[in-house]
Amino acid sequence: MTALKDSVQRAVRRYADVFRAFTPGQKVTAILGTAALLFGAVLLYGWVSAPQYAPLFTNMSPKDASAVVAKLDAQGTKYQISGGGGTILVPQDEVYKDRIALSGDGLPSGADGGYSLLDNQSLSTSDFQQQVTYKRAMEGELSKTLGAMDGVSAAVVHLALPSKQVFSDTQDPTTASVLLDVKPGVTLDDTQVQAVVHLVASSIDGLDPAKVTVADQAGHLLSSPTDAGAGGLAAATRDKQTTAFEAAQTQRIQAILDRVVGPGNGTVQVSADLNYDQATSSSTTYKKADPNGLSTSQTTTSEDYKGAGGTGAGSSGAGIVGPDGQLQTGSVGTTGTSSGQSTYSKKSATSDQALDTTVTNTVVAPGTVKSLHVGIVLDQRKVGSVDVNALQQSIASAVGYDTKRGDTMSLAQLPFDRSSEKAAAAELAAQTAADQQAQLMGYVKTGLPVLLLAVLLLVGWLRARKRAKAREEATEYVVGQLREEAALRAAMARDLADAAPARDRGVDEDEALRRELESLVEGQPEDVASLLRGWLVERPS
């Protein structure tokens, strides 16, 4: 134990001697470096020892979140709340234990909506209450389903389910409205909006997709019933599609201009009128199966009558036609007789010719082009020998130019104003030079102190090394001299003792002091060297 204590004391003394040998600048640097290391160690220990939190439950209702927090407080468990109050975080090593414990208590219950509302129905529940509860259950289930979509944090669904009219031919339509809480940085495209519309419409009996309104938390209308003629797309969506179509046509024309007249020497603007009305047309065409045949319908009737003439006065004709078309014979008058047989026949024939019938139903999808208007301007100073007519024809073919639907195209050659481009180029060059200079100054400001500190540390280290080497050499030299002197004096003392045994008291004391010094050098050379280094450092001025 004493040896360990002596070793520690010697090490402390060595470090103190080395520190005293530093210059004032080196001492400040050493102190600041030690303080920075200690501060970093404290921060590292705090970061390592701090508990890591993990989600216990997410997307909870306020009621469930309150119950979970109360339970964690009762257990004395540390927790954090995030996600607008719907997410509870606990230390990572306690997640599964707390989750199992809370699940045993029925938390989170998740009974704020959905079909769980129908679990406690009683026989005394009125029909009105049943209808309201059913509507709330449907709204809750749809809200949960839509909230599970990617990019949607939560959803609220409201349904309008009108009561059925028994003795009425017309019924009020079922409608629905959906409010989506979209996550930050997420934008729902048209396909996702249509998925929401059709998902809600398919879940409710008799709900037309055109009767579903969808909006986001910012109040932007994504789909509304007024857009039924446009396939359920909102006005903003139609404008977006029109803009995208115009941008595509503009890009197609600009690519041709850049190849012909060079980049920046031609500009184009496209205005398109798109028809978003969905139309359905039906046509029926009739055609004879045999063009050379008879007419569509033909009827032929023929009658044939044969009979004997009457004889005698007062006689009538051969007879009377009966109800079945047969001629009855007999006397009609009072005088004369009639005799003979008569016949009557009637033939009727009808012939109908078959016709080929073609029924065509045509549905015109929304988004067709009603008209297209193109304006092109070329730089007069850069066009040169470009065939403008051929260029115009190529552009017309590229965009599907059609004069029958009212398309227009204008191509003009005008001098371009390049002043803004020159100013922008000059400003860009100046900004680039300024950025480079600022970057260089930043390097200088950051690197110069580091370089100076490195130079100071190097110089201090070299000087300290030089001084340490000089101290070691001086110490070795002094120790060697002391050892030689001690050996010489010991030899002389032995010679003197042999020659003159009796000596005075002063000589004996001096000899005893030399012997103690010799034994100290032989027994503790490191302590003697440290003492000599201290003498060299604290030498008088």
Side-chain angles (χ1 to χ4, degrees):
M1 188 69 181
T2 304
L4 178 61
K5 181 178 180 181
D6 294 339
S7 299
V8 173
Q9 291 178 351
R10 286 196 299 270
V12 171
R13 285 197 297 271
R14 279 200 303 270
Y15 290 142
D17 294 338
V18 172
F19 183 77
R20 283 194 297 268
F22 285 169
T23 62
Q26 292 176 340
K27 291 180 179 179
V28 172
T29 303
I31 293 174
L32 293 178
T34 304
L37 289 176
L38 292 176
F39 183 71
V42 171
L43 291 180
L44 180 61
Y45 175 77
W47 178 74
V48 172
S49 61
Q52 299 293 325
Y53 284 85
L56 179 64
F57 296 110
T58 59
N59 295 329
M60 291 190 298
S61 63
K63 181 178 179 181
D64 288 339
S66 177
V68 170
V69 168
K71 194 67 176 179
L72 293 177
D73 287 334
Q75 295 176 356
T77 304
K78 297 181 179 180
Y79 62 87
Q80 294 179 354
I81 301 176
S82 63
T87 301
I88 306 297
L89 304 174
V90 297
Q92 190 171 8
D93 55 348
E94 299 181 5
V95 171
Y96 300 109
K97 180 185 68 175
D98 293 338
R99 188 175 295 171
I100 292 174
L102 293 173
S103 298
D105 295 335
L107 295 175
S109 62
D112 289 343
Y115 290 127
S116 60
L117 297 174
L118 304 175
D119 296 338
N120 298 323
Q121 293 288 323
S122 62
L123 295 176
S124 61
T125 303
S126 64
D127 183 66
F128 176 76
Q129 290 177 335
Q130 290 180 353
Q131 293 297 327
V132 172
T133 305
Y134 173 74
K135 187 171 77 71
R136 289 179 55 197
M138 293 296 298
E139 291 173 348
E141 291 296 329
L142 288 174
S143 298
K144 293 179 182 179
T145 303
L146 297 178
M149 291 181 61
D150 188 17
V152 177
S153 299
V156 179
V157 180
H158 296 287
L159 300 176
L161 305 176
S163 58
K164 301 297 183 180
Q165 301 295 330
V166 180
F167 300 104
S168 178
D169 294 336
T170 60
Q171 300 288 337
D172 294 334
T174 302
T175 59
S177 61
V178 181
L179 179 64
L180 300 177
D181 185 8
V182 184
K183 295 180 180 179
V186 177
T187 302
L188 299 181
D189 55 19
D190 299 335
T191 303
Q192 292 174 307
V193 174
Q194 290 300 306
V196 172
V197 171
H198 289 283
L199 180 63
V200 174
S202 301
S203 303
I204 306 300
D205 184 20
L207 179 58
D208 188 359
K211 300 298 182 181
V212 179
T213 301
V214 182
D216 60 7
Q217 74 275 19
H220 298 153
L221 189 62
L222 305 179
S223 177
S224 67
T226 58
D227 301 314
L233 300 179
T237 305
R238 298 202 304 267
D239 294 340
K240 185 187 301 183
Q241 290 185 354
T242 302
T243 302
F245 176 79
E246 293 175 348
Q249 297 293 339
T250 301
Q251 184 178 4
R252 188 176 292 111
I253 298 174
Q254 191 66 51
I256 297 176
L257 295 178
D258 292 343
R259 295 288 294 178
V260 175
V261 299
N265 297 325
T267 181
V268 60
Q269 291 292 330
V270 177
S271 176
D273 185 10
L274 302 183
N275 183 12
Y276 288 98
D277 295 333
Q278 182 173 348
T280 303
S281 61
S282 177
S283 62
T284 304
T285 304
Y286 299 97
K287 183 180 179 182
K288 287 184 178 182
D290 184 8
N292 299 323
L294 301 175
S295 58
T296 304
S297 178
Q298 183 177 3
T299 303
T300 303
T301 303
S302 63
E303 294 185 52
D304 187 13
Y305 171 73
K306 295 180 180 181
T311 59
S315 65
S316 62
I320 302 173
V321 179
D324 56 353
Q326 297 297 324
L327 184 62
Q328 297 179 357
T329 60
S331 62
V332 179
T334 57
T335 60
T337 60
S338 63
S339 63
Q341 294 181 352
S342 62
T343 59
Y344 174 79
S345 64
K346 180 179 180 180
K347 296 181 180 180
S348 177
T350 302
S351 61
D352 294 329
Q353 184 178 358
L355 296 178
D356 291 338
T357 304
T358 303
V359 179
T360 304
N361 294 321
T362 304
V363 178
V364 180
T368 58
V369 180
K370 294 175 62 176
S371 61
L372 190 66
H373 309 281
V374 182
I376 304 171
V377 179
L378 304 178
D379 190 357
Q380 192 175 21
R381 292 186 292 265
K382 300 292 184 177
V383 172
S385 59
V386 175
D387 190 348
V388 177
N389 294 329
L391 177 62
Q392 190 170 359
Q393 292 178 359
S394 300
I395 293 174
S397 300
V399 299
Y401 181 78
D402 188 2
T403 57
K404 294 181 179 180
R405 66 184 180 191
D407 294 354
T408 60
M409 180 181 296
S410 174
L411 193 151
Q413 301 181 28
L414 299 173
F416 279 17
D417 184 9
R418 304 284 183 173
S419 58
S420 59
E421 296 181 4
K422 295 179 180 179
E427 184 177 356
L428 180 61
Q431 184 64 34
T432 303
D435 292 342
Q436 292 177 354
Q437 185 177 3
Q439 187 177 12
L440 179 60
M441 292 302 297
Y443 290 156
V444 172
K445 290 180 180 179
T446 304
L448 185 59
V450 176
L451 181 61
L452 291 177
L453 180 60
V455 171
L456 290 176
L457 291 176
L458 180 61
V459 171
W461 179 74
L462 291 177
R463 292 181 62 182
R465 183 180 179 185
K466 184 177 181 181
R467 289 181 181 180
K469 186 176 181 181
R471 286 195 298 269
E472 291 177 0
E473 292 177 354
T475 301
E476 293 177 357
Y477 176 75
V478 172
V479 171
Q481 293 296 326
L482 289 175
R483 287 178 178 176
E484 292 179 0
E485 183 178 357
L488 180 60
R489 289 183 182 275
M492 292 176 62
R494 286 193 297 270
D495 293 340
L496 290 176
D498 294 339
R503 293 178 298 176
D504 57 7
R505 184 178 178 181
V507 174
D508 292 339
E509 293 179 352
D510 185 57
E511 183 63 25
L513 181 61
R514 287 191 180 93
R515 289 179 180 177
E516 290 180 0
L517 179 62
E518 181 181 359
S519 62
L520 181 63
V521 171
E522 292 292 340
Q524 299 179 356
E526 295 181 356
D527 295 338
V528 174
S530 176
L531 179 62
L532 291 176
R533 283 196 295 269
W535 290 349
L536 292 175
V537 172
E538 298 177 356
R539 57 194 173 192
S541 57

